[in-house]
Amino acid sequence: MIKFFLMVNKQGQTRLSRYYEHVEINKRTMLEAEVVKTCLSRSKDQCSFIEYKDFKLVYRQYAALFIVVGINETENEMAVYELIHNFVEVLDKYFSRVIMFNLDRVHIILDEMVLNGCIVETNRNRILAPLLVLDKVAES
Amino acid sequence: MKECMVRLIYCEMLGYESSFGYIHAIKLAQQGNLLEKRVGYLAVSLFLHENHELLLLLVNTVVKDLQSTNLVEVCMALTIVSQIFPREMIPAVLPLIEDKLQHSKEIIRRKAVQALYKFYVIAPNQVQHIHDKFRKALCDRDAGVMAASLHIYLQMIKENSSGYKDLTGCFVSILKQVVGGKLPIDFNYHSVPAPWLQIQLLRILGLLGKDDPRTSELMYDVLDESLRRAELNHNITYAILFECVQTIYTIYPKSELLEKAAKCIGKFVLSPKINLKYLGLKALTYVIQQDPNLALQHQMTIIECLDHPDPIIKRETLELLYRITNGQNVIVIVQKMLDYLKESREEYTIIKLVGKIAELAEKYAPDNEWFIQTMNAVFSVGGDVMHPDIPNNFLRLLAEGFDDGKEDNQLRIYAVQSYVALLGEEDALYPQKFLQVMSWVLGEYSSLVTDVDPEVILTKLHSLLKRTFVTSETKAWIMAAVTKLASRTSCSKTIDKVIQEFSNSLDTCMRQYAFELKHLCEDKTLMKNLLPFDASCNDMVVDASLSFLDGFVAEGLGRGAAPYKPHHQRQEEKLSREKALNFEPYGLSFVSSVSSSGVTGRQSPTGLSFGSDTSGNSAETGHKETNTLKLEGVRKLWGKEGCWIPGVSGTLSEQSRPNNCYVCVSGGSLLVGQVSDPPALRSDQVASLSEEDKEKQQLASTLFIGLGSNAGVSLMGKADTATQKFKRKSKINETRDGEEASDFQNTAASDFGPLLDTVPTNLEDCEGSIHTRLRKVSLCSSDTVEDNLAFETPQSLKKSGLDDRLSDSGLSRSSLFADSNIEIFQPSPSAQCERASKTPLVPSLPEELEKLTHSEVVELCQSDALALYLCKVWTDDSLLLTVFVSNKTTSALNAVNLMFEEAEPFQILESPTYQFPVIEAQSMEHCQKCVWMDKVCTQGILFGSVNYQSEMETRLEFSITLSLVDFIRPMEMTTEDFGKLWLSLSNDVKQNIKMSSSQDSLSAALNTLHQKLKLSIVDIIGNEGILACQLLPSVPCLLHCRTHSGMLALWFRSPCSALPDGLLYQCQKVMEESS
């Protein structure tokens, strides 16, 4: 099970957050701050999986951006690690190399991929299909 | 508006509460154009949680969008439903979503399945009826829809794997196709076909094949193929491989596959990539208990990982070592853990690790000194964050001791000495918990130590009392210690000083202690009586009835005081005095009873609505009550008299008394034969190694000692666990000690070179350590000793021990068995025709149980030697599972152990195990277990196993499916009581169900419920009826039924929230079946 999905930059600012279990708002900021701190403290040659409290963090760094996913015991760390990359590839395809920060669109993409903490779709074309339709409608 | 909403999302994400905008998100979803709608839904899913009240406002929009002709809108609605939806509104959208399962577009079908998954997770009962539609989704022509349905199946199989074994073939063939690349090319990720789908399928297979050779058989091929195909060098293939390995080790083992999986783990562990190494360690940890050999193969890598710069790798390695700890390597492993503990800062890690160290220390401590030192380290590092059980267990261990008084005292003396030394250190700061432990031990046992002057200890405690960092709770502990010490010394200056100082302390607690101490010091004999030495675990006799106050009470009453009334009585009286309006729907005309009804004046909305709903009828109810009441005759079976002959229940508890004797008679000799050389260390290797490597080798040999002996035959593993259990449970056993010692010598002698220098110390400690290791001692009753006696000479003594017990309880057990034997040879005719051909033995219930309602006898499992049968007996106060064990061989079987796994939702009264001392050839024995349901669920599985020793130790597993109905009993009550109870219950569930033509009258329908579900009918008036039942032991559930236009409206109320849901489902099922 995936517990949360975070995108954070090196300065520790949250760029996107999605929780699959309800967390109070003030607890979220605290959690995010701690998570960023743990991720930043790790060097490149250290393991990308961190045990943190009663769950695990899987993180990946893209330039100045960290993507951190919180998972529980039952999830396969490596599969999540690659899911992050899949997500980034989808973003890459949609935003054609420039991630203009469209918060709503990134959320829509993420919602197609992960629902209720389960990985539901990983096929790039299918992930983007609903969003592309929306864009087409908006244009016309 | 859309822009604003995105900004609002942004604000919320940065941690600023923006609840003012929530309503606008809902509005946007309702009114906006397509893109705005999507953003509105998105905002809702981000802002609101499952139980948010605003969510109800969204339902209408969702329903509208689900019916829309625009596919994009339908998609959005389905997405939001599968993200967040109020549980109670599911019926509003369920039919619409079911329709969508037939939609022509793949995406709609897929999203509908996802929505159903959500419903299954939050309210499984509501989607019970569409399980066949899930199957259809699984066979959908589109891979995406099929993949979506796997989430539901994974969930369902997790809860009950036995119900879905028939789908194994289906999952296997899907996986085969996926692995074979039959999916469209766009499902590939870095040219690996649908990797996440593969992982999902592997997980499902793992769950299905667990402990099931027949099902596992089906999946060996495809697992082999998955392993083979996943050879590409990419992260995602490693993820698949990891899942594969886990599945292979979870299902019933097959040696070829295990070999391949082991090779795979090897590749992971040895990989220079750190993430892979982590996965490798995790896999190793998972498989280590089944295959300790693997740890030996990789011992050098593990040692390297132990010193890895990355703390995460270190921690995972420690987890691995924790699993392989035994009596011989415990010192090294615990040392490594303590080292790690000292470096870590995070509270959560500390709590977890400290718990593990304490557990290992208790279980395997080789000697007193080490144990106390380790616990000291645990207390000083774990401090106040650790689990409170740790100090409690430690103190109990010291107090209860083992059997050898000398050994106990040595441990206590050592503890006292070490604490005196610790307190002697200047300026040392200890955590509060540690100080509490110290003061308790010093108070209780310091008099054991003769070379330390009590005055010295008192001075130390006194100085602690004055320190500021000591909390008042700890001070109370210290004060108690001082008081205890005072009772053992004649007169002491320090005590006088303490009394003087604290008699005028500002802390009232301390002042009281000081006064108590003062008064006690004045009366030394009283003090000695009050504080006897080493009596901390003697039971105190307390007069719970407070009879010594009777005189005082009588005097008070004599002086005219009002008699005491319990709280609830006072409450009731108060309420009845305040009565103004009566809202009570039932029993309106019972004027005499109104005064005690206690619900008058209650104006809660539920009470009112109920009143208005039925008021017309209820007025009638009251008047008709005396002449037209149709009390359906409830069968006397459930009545109090029909149930237990007192003698029988006595016998029962006698039979199911915990039996601590684990059979490991041949353990010692087995060990001797099976110690095998660990493969990794060769003398020639050692020679060529550098100094540093040698060090590592040394470490390895100390770490992995003891695993070698485990690595022999798989049978060995079992024998070993048996001895472990024995160690923990039994109290004394001289013979066992002898075996233990020889066990040590054997392993030690056959172990490899570098170890030899550690052997002597081990042996020396050996004698002393055995008792220390008999730690987790459960307080022993006379039986246990008897069992142990029996153990020494299993054949002869056991019988006499048994006889003793029988004569103790004054019951002739043999006569009881004679009864059952007679019945065995006179089987009931119905059972005979079914089974006579299969087995010579036919189980039947003993007479006294035969009278009660019971199920048919069914076969649970069988092997060459044994067959197990089960009969459920529904007694008044529990579900009685009667298990028959028949011995099919021609020789008697000794010590057959029956064991139930205690797991939710069931609770087994008394002990979950039962031992048949002997089952004669070609005969049958039986035992009974009472079961309750702790957590309400419609159906659950109780797992169990039976162990017996024929040529080798064999274990047979079985499972029993128990339904909620098994635990439902009728509840007899009057209409009046019903009314009262109804209003006091809060959880209610309402549902309309269709009545078929065969049961169109209310009484027919109620009769069905009465017969099938054992609900007792309280009253029927016109088109309304009330029923009552209880979930064992005593959770009531009330049901109000009403017929209108072919529908039966059911309304449940119960103090337990899950019970109405569960019962509703059962009612639906029963009504459907009977129509």
Side-chain angles (χ1 to χ4, degrees):
Chain A
M1 275 292 183
I2 296 176
K3 301 223 172 178
F4 57 80
F5 199 104
L6 287 181
M7 286 168 92
V8 205
N9 68 11
K10 265 196 167 167
Q11 284 79 48
Q13 291 161 316
T14 312
R15 286 281 162 245
L16 174 130
S17 69
R18 173 57 119 166
Y19 290 83
Y20 297 100
E21 266 168 18
H22 183 66
V23 184
E24 298 281 326
I25 289 190
N26 43 5
K27 284 195 186 136
R28 287 185 194 190
T29 29
M30 250 165 45
L31 179 102
E32 282 158 26
E34 270 183 59
V35 164
V36 177
K37 219 169 67 192
T38 15
C39 289
L40 281 174
S41 68
R42 298 184 59 85
S43 66
K44 275 224 167 79
D45 53 338
Q46 283 185 317
C47 178
S48 317
F49 318 129
I50 313 172
E51 277 167 54
Y52 175 81
K53 301 220 163 135
D54 53 345
F55 49 91
K56 287 187 181 168
L57 304 174
V58 178
Y59 71 94
R60 232 173 146 143
Q61 191 179 358
Y62 293 92
L65 194 70
F66 277 97
I67 298 184
V68 192
V69 184
I71 56 173
N72 71 359
E73 282 295 310
T74 58
E75 198 61 61
N76 180 331
E77 289 91 347
M78 195 56 105
V80 175
Y81 186 68
E82 282 308 298
L83 178 80
I84 297 176
H85 193 67
N86 193 11
F87 175 64
V88 171
E89 280 181 8
V90 175
L91 291 185
D92 216 34
K93 188 173 169 184
Y94 180 75
F95 293 106
S96 46
R97 300 226 137 262
V98 197
I99 301 188
M100 296 254 305
F101 226 85
N102 281 303
L103 188 63
D104 49 339
R105 288 191 160 77
V106 180
H107 263 299
I108 293 172
I109 291 174
L110 183 60
D111 282 353
E112 290 297 320
M113 294 180 72
V114 183
L115 259 185
N116 289 311
C118 300
I119 305 170
V120 290
E121 187 60 79
T122 51
N123 179 336
R124 259 181 274 175
N125 297 332
R126 291 192 170 188
I127 293 167
L128 288 178
L131 190 56
L132 291 175
V133 172
L134 275 182
D135 285 342
K136 216 181 270 169
V137 173
E139 266 171 39
S140 59
Chain B
M1 194 64 199
K2 178 190 153 249
E3 262 324 293
C4 291
M5 205 40 72
V6 175
R7 274 167 209 210
L8 210 58
I9 294 176
Y10 208 83
C11 288
E12 187 103 311
M13 185 180 83
L14 293 179
Y16 302 101
E17 165 92 37
S18 50
S19 51
F20 61 87
Y22 291 176
I23 187 71
H24 296 289
I26 290 176
K27 270 195 198 154
L28 193 64
Q30 205 165 16
Q31 295 157 351
N33 65 29
L34 271 185
L35 194 55
E36 285 173 349
K37 208 179 197 40
R38 182 65 186 94
V39 172
Y41 274 135
L42 172 68
V44 169
S45 77
L46 284 167
F47 292 155
L48 305 186
H49 58 85
E50 212 93 83
N51 303 317
H52 202 287
E53 50 192 354
L54 284 179
L55 213 51
L56 285 177
L57 296 178
L58 195 72
V59 175
N60 201 19
T61 318
V62 170
V63 171
K64 209 177 72 202
D65 283 342
L66 280 176
Q67 289 162 325
S68 157
T69 47
N70 188 338
L71 288 187
V72 184
E73 281 181 350
V74 178
C75 249
M76 284 176 200
L78 285 171
T79 309
I80 190 78
V81 168
S82 44
Q83 278 172 327
I84 184 168
F85 201 74
R87 204 176 88 105
E88 58 274 22
M89 293 311 286
I90 291 175
V93 292
L94 193 56
L96 290 172
I97 289 175
E98 278 179 57
D99 285 346
K100 297 288 181 267
L101 288 173
Q102 271 94 42
H103 202 276
S104 58
K105 277 272 188 283
E106 159 278 321
I107 186 164
I108 304 283
R109 291 203 303 277
R110 175 158 57 90
K111 290 198 176 267
V113 175
Q114 283 164 6
L116 289 179
Y117 167 73
K118 177 74 181 180
F119 292 167
Y120 180 78
V121 172
I122 57 176
N125 289 339
Q126 308 239 25
V127 290
Q128 291 268 5
H129 61 286
I130 39 179
H131 280 197
D132 54 324
K133 293 202 173 148
F134 295 155
R135 284 192 188 223
K136 217 179 261 169
L138 183 66
C139 307
D140 197 280
R141 58 187 182 278
D142 185 87
V145 184
M146 179 273 295
S149 75
L150 289 184
H151 290 289
I152 303 180
Y153 276 105
L154 183 66
Q155 198 69 28
M156 292 197 293
I157 291 170
K158 242 185 226 163
E159 282 155 22
N160 167 22
S161 67
S162 61
Y164 301 94
K165 300 268 181 194
D166 57 319
L167 286 174
T168 314
C170 190
F171 293 124
V172 167
S173 74
I174 293 172
L175 183 57
K176 223 171 241 169
Q177 288 173 43
V178 175
V179 173
K182 298 272 161 58
L183 289 186
I185 196 88
D186 61 351
F187 278 93
N188 285 9
Y189 173 78
H190 291 260
S191 64
V192 180
W196 291 277
L197 179 58
Q198 287 191 41
I199 287 170
Q200 188 84 351
L201 283 163
L202 286 168
R203 269 182 210 154
I204 291 180
L205 290 184
L207 289 172
L208 283 173
K210 196 175 182 201
D211 304 323
D212 183 347
R214 227 175 307 157
T215 316
S216 301
E217 193 83 22
L218 299 170
M219 46 186 93
Y220 291 144
D221 273 348
V222 75
L223 288 176
D224 190 49
E225 195 172 339
S226 304
L227 276 183
R228 212 153 20 86
R229 293 264 185 166
E231 261 170 4
L232 202 78
N233 198 11
H234 189 274
N235 273 338
I236 195 66
T237 58
Y238 298 133
I240 298 174
L241 280 179
F242 175 78
E243 209 64 46
C244 243
V245 167
Q246 249 186 346
T247 306
I248 289 171
Y249 272 93
T250 312
I251 62 172
Y252 192 83
K254 188 189 184 199
S255 56
E256 269 170 61
L257 278 179
L258 289 183
E259 226 169 83
K260 283 184 186 166
K263 220 184 268 168
C264 224
I265 295 179
K267 239 193 311 186
F268 279 8
V269 177
L270 294 173
S271 162
K273 285 187 191 161
I274 185 107
N275 287 345
L276 280 191
K277 210 179 221 40
Y278 177 88
L279 277 195
L281 284 173
K282 197 178 157 195
L284 211 50
T285 314
Y286 183 75
V287 306
I288 207 80
Q289 272 147 338
Q290 293 177 49
D291 193 358
N293 248 334
L294 216 52
L296 289 173
Q297 272 170 33
H298 297 297
Q299 48 180 324
M300 289 324 286
T301 328
I302 295 173
I303 301 291
E304 270 163 27
C305 289
L306 208 49
D307 294 323
H308 202 277
D310 189 344
I312 297 294
I313 297 281
K314 247 190 197 173
R315 181 145 124 193
E316 196 62 31
T317 318
L318 285 179
E319 178 69 37
L320 173 75
L321 291 179
Y322 165 72
R323 304 270 176 112
I324 58 166
T325 310
N326 56 31
Q328 297 155 64
N329 58 18
V330 64
I331 300 185
V332 196
I333 290 181
V334 166
Q335 190 51 48
K336 288 278 165 200
M337 285 178 149
L338 284 173
D339 290 347
Y340 184 82
L341 194 61
K342 276 165 199 149
E343 285 166 25
S344 52
R345 292 276 163 276
E346 207 205 352
E347 195 173 290
Y348 193 84
T349 322
I350 294 176
I351 295 173
K352 252 176 121 177
L353 209 55
V354 157
K356 279 180 186 159
I357 296 175
E359 185 196 328
L360 291 180
E362 273 192 22
K363 232 196 261 179
Y364 300 114
D367 59 72
N368 291 335
E369 196 174 329
W370 182 86
F371 179 63
I372 296 293
Q373 294 290 4
T374 309
M375 289 313 280
N376 284 351
V378 163
F379 289 136
S380 41
V381 181
D384 295 322
V385 295
M386 70 188 161
H387 201 269
D389 277 355
I390 299 174
N392 291 349
N393 282 345
F394 174 72
L395 291 183
R396 191 183 315 142
L397 210 100
L398 280 181
E400 286 175 358
F402 330 106
D403 305 286
D404 187 348
K406 209 174 108 200
E407 191 66 34
D408 294 345
N409 281 344
Q410 266 174 12
L411 182 66
R412 290 167 189 164
I413 289 171
Y414 190 80
V416 171
Q417 282 169 343
S418 87
Y419 295 154
V420 170
L422 281 176
L423 286 180
E425 282 170 37
E426 290 285 309
D427 295 330
L429 285 175
Y430 300 108
Q432 305 298 323
K433 285 263 168 60
F434 193 19
L435 286 176
Q436 291 166 10
V437 167
M438 284 193 210
S439 46
W440 189 86
V441 172
L442 290 178
E444 280 289 321
Y445 299 118
S446 62
S447 54
L448 287 174
V449 184
T450 43
D451 57 344
V452 182
D453 185 8
E455 198 62 29
V456 178
I457 298 173
L458 279 171
T459 331
K460 280 184 180 140
L461 291 176
H462 177 225
S463 66
L464 267 182
L465 279 176
K466 285 188 291 189
R467 303 289 290 273
T468 45
F469 69 89
V470 179
T471 62
S472 52
E473 190 197 349
T474 312
K475 279 186 183 156
W477 284 74
I478 298 174
M479 242 355 225
V482 170
T483 317
K484 281 181 212 161
L485 281 171
S487 72
R488 267 155 237 150
T489 50
S490 45
C491 63
S492 146
K493 257 188 265 158
T494 326
I495 291 174
D496 295 340
K497 230 194 282 173
V498 168
I499 294 173
Q500 217 171 15
E501 257 170 54
F502 291 98
S503 293
N504 47 13
S505 158
L506 280 178
D507 186 340
T508 46
C509 263
M510 291 307 288
R511 205 154 64 203
Q512 186 179 346
Y513 283 122
F515 277 120
E516 278 171 15
L517 183 57
K518 192 175 158 197
H519 284 287
L520 284 174
C521 280
E522 283 160 11
D523 187 351
K524 282 279 173 192
T525 42
L526 175 67
M527 193 170 197
K528 284 247 158 63
N529 282 336
L530 192 66
L531 302 163
F533 174 65
D534 193 20
S536 56
C537 41
N538 297 358
D539 285 335
M540 288 208 201
V541 183
V542 178
D543 184 0
S545 65
L546 303 179
S547 57
F548 55 89
L549 287 175
D550 283 352
F552 178 75
V553 173
E555 197 185 314
L557 286 174
R559 271 186 280 128
Y564 173 75
K565 283 176 192 159
H567 179 72
H568 60 92
Q569 197 182 341
R570 268 175 285 157
Q571 203 86 16
E572 263 176 27
E573 281 176 10
K574 197 175 148 209
L575 275 170
S576 64
R577 255 180 272 127
E578 284 169 1
K579 87 172 170 208
L581 267 174
N582 194 353
F583 286 97
E584 193 182 10
Y586 287 94
L588 248 183
S589 62
F590 299 118
V591 186
S592 61
S593 71
V594 168
S595 62
S596 65
S597 65
V599 272
T600 44
R602 182 177 145 166
Q603 305 224 349
S604 73
T606 47
L608 275 174
S609 72
F610 185 84
S612 61
D613 197 357
T614 51
S615 57
N617 290 309
S618 58
E620 258 176 291
T621 316
H623 295 298
K624 281 187 186 169
E625 207 269 345
T626 39
N627 40 14
T628 59
L629 180 62
K630 284 184 232 166
L631 262 178
E632 300 293 309
V634 179
R635 277 193 288 171
K636 280 289 178 228
L637 272 170
W638 301 106
K640 274 276 181 254
E641 300 85 349
C643 166
W644 284 116
I645 310 151
V648 178
S649 61
T651 333
L652 265 180
S653 59
E654 175 65 28
Q655 280 178 338
S656 46
R657 187 173 287 179
N659 229 327
N660 283 340
C661 181
Y662 283 80
V663 187
C664 47
V665 190
S666 55
S669 58
L670 269 175
L671 286 169
V672 180
Q674 278 158 350
V675 176
S676 68
D677 280 5
L681 285 171
R682 300 272 153 66
S683 55
D684 49 349
Q685 264 182 321
V686 179
S688 64
L689 288 169
S690 66
E691 190 69 357
E692 191 192 337
D693 280 350
K694 261 188 198 155
E695 242 170 58
K696 282 186 181 170
Q697 292 274 10
Q698 188 106 15
L699 182 59
S701 62
T702 42
L703 274 177
F704 296 97
I705 180 176
L707 283 183
S709 56
N710 279 4
V713 195
S714 64
L715 187 82
M716 177 54 216
K718 272 186 188 160
D720 193 58
T721 53
T723 54
Q724 289 280 353
K725 272 182 192 161
F726 187 81
K727 262 195 256 173
R728 255 175 273 153
K729 291 226 168 144
S730 78
K731 242 192 152 180
I732 23 158
N733 200 321
E734 293 303 320
T735 31
R736 186 67 213 138
D737 285 358
E739 278 172 20
E740 190 83 43
S742 68
D743 167 14
F744 264 76
Q745 276 157 348
N746 278 316
T747 15
S750 65
D751 259 316
F752 23 80
L755 183 74
L756 275 174
D757 47 358
T758 65
V759 171
T761 51
N762 249 341
L763 279 176
E764 267 170 27
D765 295 337
C766 199
E767 286 272 67
S769 70
I770 284 136
H771 299 293
T772 20
R773 292 198 286 130
L774 304 178
R775 257 156 224 242
K776 288 206 167 163
V777 183
S778 57
L779 259 187
C780 124
S781 63
S782 59
D783 294 319
T784 341
V785 182
E786 261 174 31
D787 280 344
N788 286 333
L789 280 176
F791 167 79
E792 278 177 54
T793 42
Q795 291 292 351
S796 56
L797 265 176
K798 189 165 285 172
K799 278 228 162 117
S800 67
L802 200 70
D803 289 342
D804 282 353
R805 266 191 281 167
L806 288 174
S807 52
D808 273 355
S809 59
L811 272 164
S812 144
R813 187 196 208 159
S814 55
S815 72
L816 185 79
F817 277 111
D819 274 357
S820 64
N821 276 338
I822 289 168
E823 294 217 347
I824 285 165
F825 297 114
Q826 300 172 338
S828 64
S830 66
Q832 195 168 25
C833 56
E834 270 181 40
R835 306 204 180 277
S837 55
K838 275 195 229 158
T839 50
L841 299 164
V842 179
S844 72
L845 284 170
E847 237 172 279
E848 66 274 7
L849 293 180
E850 190 74 43
K851 287 183 212 141
L852 303 170
T853 39
H854 58 84
S855 69
E856 279 181 30
V857 178
V858 289
E859 185 184 304
L860 276 180
C861 60
Q862 18 201 331
S863 71
D864 298 336
L866 279 187
L868 260 70
Y869 303 94
L870 171 81
C871 179
K872 294 181 194 171
V873 182
W874 296 290
T875 67
D876 238 9
D877 46 8
S878 68
L879 173 69
L880 193 67
L881 295 178
T882 309
V883 180
F884 300 90
V885 182
S886 83
N887 179 0
K888 298 195 284 180
T889 58
T890 47
S891 56
L893 281 175
N894 284 322
V896 178
N897 269 317
L898 185 72
M899 220 177 300
F900 284 104
E901 252 173 58
E902 281 204 83
E904 290 222 316
F906 303 112
Q907 182 197 350
I908 297 159
L909 310 178
E910 294 150 7
S911 116
T913 58
Y914 181 76
Q915 188 185 46
F916 300 96
V918 63
I919 301 180
E920 296 300 337
Q922 298 289 327
S923 76
M924 179 170 297
E925 300 275 322
H926 69 102
C927 78
Q928 291 147 339
K929 291 278 164 214
C930 297
V931 185
W932 280 350
M933 186 180 258
D934 264 354
K935 213 181 111 205
V936 178
C937 65
T938 51
Q939 205 175 42
I941 299 177
L942 184 65
F943 292 97
S945 62
V946 61
N947 279 20
Y948 63 95
Q949 207 112 28
S950 54
E951 280 143 35
M952 45 188 249
E953 191 167 317
T954 321
R955 191 177 141 98
L956 259 179
E957 290 183 354
F958 59 85
S959 63
I960 304 171
T961 311
L962 301 175
S963 129
L964 178 65
V965 185
D966 288 328
F967 302 93
I968 295 290
R969 298 287 177 273
M971 190 154 98
E972 304 260 12
M973 54 164 58
T974 60
T975 313
E976 177 193 340
D977 290 337
F978 186 95
K980 258 187 258 170
L981 191 57
W982 180 270
L983 287 180
S984 66
L985 300 178
S986 53
N987 295 299
D988 59 353
V989 167
K990 291 186 208 178
Q991 180 97 20
N992 291 338
I993 54 177
K994 245 184 219 143
M995 292 177 28
S996 65
S997 50
S998 66
Q999 24 163 260
D1000 53 351
S1001 80
L1002 178 68
S1003 60
L1006 296 193
N1007 264 335
T1008 319
L1009 295 180
H1010 166 60
Q1011 276 157 14
K1012 298 260 173 72
L1013 294 180
K1014 302 166 204 152
L1015 308 179
S1016 63
I1017 301 174
V1018 180
D1019 203 351
I1020 302 179
I1021 298 112
N1023 65 343
E1024 284 182 60
I1026 48 177
L1027 297 94
C1029 67
Q1030 55 182 335
L1031 175 71
L1032 290 172
S1034 61
V1035 185
C1037 185
L1038 306 182
L1039 169 61
H1040 173 268
C1041 302
R1042 192 170 142 187
T1043 48
H1044 57 90
S1045 57
M1047 297 291 272
L1048 182 64
L1050 299 174
W1051 188 359
F1052 292 91
R1053 274 198 179 182
S1054 166
C1056 160
S1057 61
L1059 188 55
D1061 265 339
L1063 264 180
L1064 173 62
Y1065 170 62
Q1066 299 292 352
C1067 287
Q1068 279 172 323
K1069 215 170 79 178
V1070 168
M1071 297 299 272
E1072 261 168 47
E1073 276 167 13
S1074 67
S1075 61

